[in-house]
Amino acid sequence: MANIFFKNPLFLKFREFREFRSFFILISLIIITIIIVNIYDKFRNEQVKKLENILQNVYLQKTLNSISSSLIPRFEKIKYVINAGESFEGILNEIEINKKEKKKILDFIITKKIKFNLYENQKIIFEIDNLNTKKIKKITIPISKKKDLIISSDEKNLFKYSELNKELTLTKIYKENFIRNSLYKSAVEKKIDPNIIVQFAQIYGFEVDFQRDIRKNDSFQIVYEELKNEENKTVDFGNILYANLILQGRSLELYHFISEKDKINDHFEPNGQSIKKTLMKTPINGARLSSGYGNRKHPILGYTKLHTGTDFAAPKGTPIMASGTGIILKAAWCGGGGNCVKIKHNSTYSTVYAHMSKFARGIKKGVRVTQGQIIGYVGSTGMSTGPHLHYEVIKNGKKINSQTLKLPSGKKLKGKLREDFELTKIKIDVLKGELINNQN
C-alpha cells in the first residue's frame, strides 16, 4: 500500500517541486530586485530633474549670486598698482579704509617720520582683517630693488615698522656676440640689460672710442652677475666679472678684482695693469666726432681760428661724463660756451665741457666728482649751431688735442696683491669655462 502511495504522480510532482524550491526562490528574488531597482532609478531620475529645474530657476540663481557676493573673507590681500600722481592717503581711500583706521595709519607714519617714495606702477600689498571693520594688519611697500618697508599691527592693534631685505639669488651669466652695427645693438640681441651695456662701455671708456675704434665683425665676451627675487625675476645686477673686447683681432681682456683691505674695486688687464687712466678717451658714449682740434672756419663767426677742443655731435640730453676724478672749478654760464663745467683733476690736467643743455643734479663749484660720473647733458647753449659737446683738455695751463694725448696708466698690482689677483683670475677663467660648457 505504501509503495502505491509513493508512486502516485501527484506525490512525485510534489517531490520534484521541493527539490527545485531553492532555485525558484532565487529566481523570484532576482526578478523582485530588478523591479525595485528600476522603480528606484525612475524615482531618482525624476527627483534629479526636479532639482535641476529648481536650480536653473532665474530668481533662485540671482538670489544665490547676491548672497555669495556679499560674503567677504575675513582676511584679504590687496595688491594695489599705483597710478601716476597718487598719494598714500588717496590709495587708502581707494581700498575703502574707514576714516578712523586711515587717520591712525597716517598719524603713525608722520609720528615715526617714515619716508618712502611712490611711483607709477609700484605695487603695494595690503593685508586686511574684515572681522568687524576693515583693519590693516600689514602693508608691504617696495623702497628699493633689494628692500621692502613693512608696516604691521600687533594683537593690540598697535603699529610698528621695519625694513626687510629681500631674498635675492646671485646668478652668473655668460654672453658673447659679433658686433655688426654697434655694441649696443649686438648686446641687446643677446638680451643683455642696458645697465650692463652702459657699465661695459664705461669700463672700456678709458681705452676705446666706441664710435671710431669698433669695426664690423669685432666681438665681445662678458661674464656678469644677475640678482633674482623669489619669483625668478631679475631685479638688479652685480659686477662685470670678466670682459673681453676683440678689436681687429686684438683682445682686450679685463678681470674684476676686489681687495677691501687695500680699497681696490676695479678691472685689470691680465698683467695686473688697471684699465683706468688719468682721463677717459671720450667723455660721452655713442657720439660722432664732428670737429677736431686745430684751425677751422668758425661756423657762426665766419672766420678761421684755432679750435681748441674736440666736438662730439650727439642728441640733446645725452649724458656727459667726467673724464677723470677731480674738483669742479666752475659750473655756470661761460658766454659763447653756454652752460659749461670745468674740472681740475690734478696739478697737471683740467678739462672743460661746454654747450650743455643742463647740469646734472648736485653739480656745482667745489664738488668732487669721480671718473665716469654724469655731470651734465648735451645741448646747444651759447654760440652753437646744433646739439653737441665741446670738450677741452688743458695740460699745465695749455689747451691740447685730447685725441692724440698719451695718458699715463693707472695702478699696477704688485707683490701680495698681484698674487691674489692671479688667483682671482684663475677662478674667473674656470667659471667662464663652466658657463660656456653649460650653454653647449
Side-chain angles (χ1 to χ4, degrees):
M1 186 72 181
N3 290 333
I4 294 171
F5 178 78
F6 286 114
K7 290 180 180 179
N8 189 293
L10 291 173
F11 176 77
L12 291 172
K13 287 182 179 180
F14 177 74
R15 194 169 69 176
E16 288 176 2
F17 175 79
R18 286 184 63 187
E19 290 175 356
F20 289 99
R21 184 177 59 179
S22 298
F23 174 74
F24 288 129
I25 291 171
L26 178 62
I27 294 297
S28 300
L29 287 173
I30 291 171
I31 293 169
I32 293 169
T33 301
I34 291 171
I35 293 170
I36 292 172
V37 168
N38 286 334
I39 292 171
Y40 172 76
D41 284 344
K42 185 177 180 181
F43 173 77
R44 188 185 64 179
N45 290 335
E46 288 176 355
Q47 295 302 312
V48 168
K49 286 181 179 179
K50 287 180 181 180
L51 182 60
E52 286 177 349
N53 290 334
I54 292 171
L55 292 175
Q56 289 175 1
N57 183 279
V58 174
Y59 298 105
L60 177 62
Q61 286 183 350
K62 286 184 177 181
T63 303
L64 291 173
N65 288 336
S66 176
I67 293 170
S68 63
S69 62
S70 64
L71 295 175
I72 300 174
R74 176 176 174 182
F75 296 104
E76 182 182 9
K77 183 178 283 189
I78 301 171
K79 296 180 179 179
Y80 191 91
V81 180
I82 298 175
N83 298 310
E86 277 193 300
S87 66
F88 189 71
E89 183 176 0
I91 294 169
L92 295 176
N93 290 334
E94 284 291 323
I95 64 173
E96 299 179 349
I97 298 296
N98 64 63
K99 289 183 179 180
K100 185 178 178 181
E101 185 74 0
K102 183 176 73 174
K103 184 178 185 305
K104 187 177 178 181
I105 184 68
L106 291 175
D107 287 347
F108 174 77
I109 290 171
I110 293 169
T111 302
K112 296 296 182 180
K113 297 179 180 178
I114 303 172
K115 294 182 179 180
F116 55 90
N117 295 318
L118 299 180
Y119 51 86
E120 189 175 6
N121 294 325
Q122 183 183 15
K123 293 179 182 178
I124 297 182
I125 299 174
F126 294 89
E127 294 181 31
I128 308 294
D129 185 352
N130 292 309
L131 182 58
N132 294 314
T133 58
K134 278 191 173 184
K135 291 190 179 297
I136 295 173
K137 299 302 294 180
K138 185 179 178 183
I139 306 172
T140 303
I141 305 172
I143 54 177
S144 73
K145 292 178 180 179
K146 300 178 182 179
K147 197 174 288 186
D148 286 337
L149 171 65
I150 307 294
I151 300 174
S152 59
S153 62
D154 57 21
E155 295 176 355
K156 297 179 181 179
N157 206 27
L158 297 175
F159 286 111
K160 58 183 179 179
Y161 77 98
S162 61
E163 291 185 359
L164 180 67
N165 290 320
K166 297 178 184 178
E167 291 291 331
L168 299 178
T169 303
L170 185 68
T171 307
K172 296 176 178 67
I173 309 293
Y174 173 82
K175 295 287 178 72
E176 63 177 37
N177 201 8
F178 285 98
I179 302 172
R180 306 298 183 190
N181 296 306
S182 69
L183 172 70
Y184 185 85
K185 286 183 179 179
S186 300
V188 169
E189 280 178 10
K190 291 296 180 178
K191 298 181 179 179
I192 299 175
D193 190 271
N195 291 300
I196 291 295
I197 301 172
V198 170
Q199 190 180 340
F200 185 91
Q202 287 177 339
I203 291 169
Y204 281 104
F206 307 98
E207 184 71 24
V208 177
D209 185 328
F210 284 95
Q211 187 65 28
R212 286 159 286 280
D213 292 345
I214 291 180
R215 300 287 184 271
K216 189 176 180 180
N217 291 327
D218 286 342
S219 61
F220 70 88
Q221 298 172 315
I222 183 172
V223 176
Y224 61 92
E225 296 172 327
E226 206 172 60
L227 292 161
K228 295 187 176 183
N229 61 15
E230 298 92 333
E231 299 171 352
N232 203 36
K233 291 182 180 178
T234 301
V235 296
D236 204 357
F237 299 91
N239 297 301
I240 292 178
L241 302 178
Y242 171 84
N244 189 14
L245 194 56
I246 302 155
L247 306 178
Q248 291 89 64
R250 185 170 67 98
S251 200
L252 298 173
E253 282 188 299
L254 295 175
Y255 294 84
H256 184 245
F257 177 64
I258 296 176
S259 174
E260 294 182 1
K261 178 184 175 183
D262 298 279
K263 296 181 180 179
I264 294 174
N265 185 351
D266 208 343
H267 289 85
F268 293 83
E269 297 173 14
N271 63 359
Q273 177 72 57
S274 172
I275 187 66
K276 286 189 176 180
K277 294 178 170 59
T278 306
L279 300 174
M280 294 172 67
K281 194 169 184 180
T282 55
I284 186 170
N285 286 324
R288 175 176 59 85
L289 179 62
S290 56
S291 182
Y293 181 94
N295 289 318
R296 67 163 188 178
K297 185 176 181 179
H298 196 281
I300 294 178
L301 299 177
Y303 57 83
T304 300
K305 64 174 292 189
L306 178 64
H307 186 231
T308 56
T310 305
D311 288 350
F312 297 98
K316 182 180 178 181
T318 302
I320 299 167
M321 296 176 285
S323 64
T325 298
I327 303 295
I328 295 177
L329 298 180
K330 186 174 186 177
W333 186 263
C334 298
N339 292 322
C340 78
V341 171
K342 184 174 183 179
I343 303 173
K344 182 178 177 62
H345 302 288
N346 51 36
S347 59
T348 304
Y349 292 103
S350 297
T351 52
V352 175
Y353 315 76
H355 305 302
M356 292 181 174
S357 59
K358 62 178 181 178
F359 305 116
R361 183 178 296 177
I363 297 301
K364 57 185 179 180
K365 183 178 178 180
V367 170
R368 180 178 176 80
V369 291
T370 57
Q371 198 167 46
Q373 180 179 336
I374 295 172
I375 57 173
Y377 303 89
V378 168
S380 188
T381 56
M383 294 180 67
S384 170
T385 57
H388 72 284
L389 166 67
H390 174 82
Y391 173 60
E392 294 180 355
V393 175
I394 303 167
K395 182 180 180 181
N396 295 322
K398 182 182 178 181
K399 295 178 181 180
I400 61 174
N401 188 346
S402 64
Q403 300 303 290
T404 60
L405 177 64
K406 298 294 183 182
L407 296 167
S409 298
K411 184 180 183 68
K412 186 164 186 177
L413 301 173
K414 296 178 181 179
K416 180 67 167 57
L417 280 174
R418 179 64 185 272
E419 293 175 8
D420 293 341
F421 169 72
E422 291 296 330
L423 183 60
T424 298
K425 189 172 70 170
I426 292 169
K427 289 179 180 178
I428 291 174
D429 283 336
V430 170
L431 171 65
K432 182 182 68 170
E434 290 174 349
L435 293 174
I436 292 172
N437 289 333
N438 291 337
Q439 289 184 357
N440 297 331

